[in-house]
Amino acid sequence: MIDIASGHAAIDRYLANDYERLRGMSSRFAAAICGYLIRRQSELGIGGELAEIGTFEGRFFIAMALGLAPDEKAIGIDRFDWPNTSVEGRFIASCAAHGIASDRFVSWKADSREITPDALKDRLAQRPIRFVHIDSHHSRECLTNDLELVTPLLHRDGIICLDDMLHPGYPMLAGAAFDYFVRHPEMRLLCVIDREDIVAAPKFLICRDSALERYQGDLMKTFARFHFTLGADMEGYIAVVLTPQPRLAAVE
Ligand SMILES: C[S@@+](CC[C@H](N)C(=O)[O-])C[C@H]1O[C@@H](n2cnc3c(N)ncnc32)[C@H](O)[C@@H]1O
């Protein structure tokens, strides 16, 4: 088990004891880093709602929601039809079993491609999104939809986390992220969270240019042990890379 923690007591208890018992696809390594960022946002006074598109049974959603500040809520959006229709019941039961009170989260059974930013804003009680995990249909079309759905609602210092970037099974998916950077020149790749395994693949973290330096500094300091110091070459700036076992190829 990789020795990594978010520094948030409730999130870390869940990551240590229960995270891998719940069915799901996101790595514990990534959940700890995202949990840290949610904690850090709270410390910095960055308030808003937490969101996930593609909750499945709630493995990653619960890690996020345990980091909610007192007046905040989390929203989980899923079609809840895969692998069968009882998945929403399992999601809600898992939230209850892991301490997410029913008034702290919204379960929204919907196809994200049928949701407008205005409808999502209403469900968020007009509050901005400070952290969102996008993990729905792994197609460029759906990822593009989901990115454009959340971007107008993102807090100025908000973070978008994209699942399964650079996954061998979805080589085209990262293309949607790079097209997004062309359409939104104010957005930056903050960090690549490397894979633990083929079923716990890399994630991209995205934020506005104005927030980049602070988040990158925080990540490099807090997760120095996992920092691949060459970083990721974004042809104009460097994104942070965090990987379970950083090392360079021997050349001599
Ligand atoms: C890979 S699973 C999510 C795993 C989960 N986030 C985790 O880390 O354990 C993908 C989920 O996205 C949902 N999904 C796929 N396309 C969707 C869409 N267009 N709108 C909403 N949910 C969708 C599926 O029903 C499925 O539950």
Side-chain angles (χ1 to χ4, degrees):
M1 198 143 134
I2 302 166
D3 183 16
I4 186 167
S6 69
H8 183 291
I11 296 176
D12 289 333
R13 257 194 314 276
Y14 167 68
L15 293 180
N17 301 327
D18 298 316
Y19 186 82
E20 283 172 352
R21 289 180 208 206
L22 264 70
R23 291 199 294 187
M25 294 79 177
S26 294
S27 73
R28 198 176 59 80
F29 183 68
I33 293 165
C34 294
Y36 162 75
L37 285 167
I38 289 168
R39 166 172 87 84
R40 187 73 186 124
Q41 287 180 324
S42 300
E43 285 170 4
L44 293 168
I46 298 166
E49 313 295 75
L50 307 178
E52 182 173 43
I53 308 179
T55 56
F56 187 52
E57 297 191 7
R59 171 194 269 201
F60 195 87
F61 182 85
I62 292 166
M64 290 172 51
L66 287 168
L68 284 167
D71 57 342
E72 296 174 336
K73 281 192 184 179
I75 182 161
I77 299 169
D78 201 297
R79 293 164 46 109
F80 291 124
D81 61 357
W82 176 82
N84 52 56
T85 50
S86 50
V87 64
E88 185 176 19
R90 291 196 294 279
F91 166 62
I92 292 170
S94 281
C95 287
H98 295 95
I100 315 299
S102 59
D103 61 348
R104 303 303 307 280
F105 76 99
V106 174
S107 174
W108 190 359
K109 182 176 165 74
D111 188 308
S112 60
R113 289 165 287 200
E114 288 162 14
I115 297 175
T116 62
D118 280 348
L120 179 54
K121 197 171 177 184
D122 286 346
R123 290 280 184 132
L124 297 168
Q126 315 297 316
R127 285 169 57 88
I129 298 172
R130 65 161 160 132
F131 192 98
V132 53
H133 183 220
I134 299 181
D135 188 9
S136 64
H137 191 255
H138 285 25
S139 63
R140 282 186 290 168
E141 171 258 336
C142 195
L143 177 54
T144 300
N145 172 85
D146 294 354
L147 280 163
E148 296 303 335
L149 174 62
V150 300
T151 297
L153 310 177
L154 196 66
H155 187 290
R156 190 188 58 222
D157 297 322
I159 294 174
I160 302 174
C161 177
L162 305 183
D163 184 62
D164 280 348
M165 294 291 105
L166 315 175
H167 187 302
Y170 307 99
M172 303 297 283
L173 200 56
F178 296 117
D179 289 346
Y180 173 79
F181 290 127
V182 174
R183 287 195 308 281
H184 296 272
E186 77 284 10
M187 304 307 283
R188 293 285 180 275
L189 181 63
L190 154 64
C191 177
V192 179
I193 304 176
D194 197 16
R195 80 195 61 233
E196 261 187 43
D197 189 80
I198 197 158
V199 292
K203 294 190 193 290
F204 281 180
L205 296 171
I206 295 171
C207 69
R208 289 200 173 81
D209 185 39
S210 53
L212 186 71
E213 202 178 317
R214 180 164 66 188
Y215 284 136
Q216 288 198 328
D218 283 347
L219 288 174
M220 288 188 284
K221 189 167 147 221
T222 306
F223 297 108
R225 206 153 54 82
F226 302 107
H227 186 207
F228 173 71
T229 50
L230 293 184
D233 182 358
M234 286 297 288
E235 300 180 349
Y237 67 99
I238 301 291
V240 170
V241 176
L242 299 176
T243 184
Q245 283 185 289
R247 63 195 178 97
L248 296 174
V251 289
E252 280 184 40

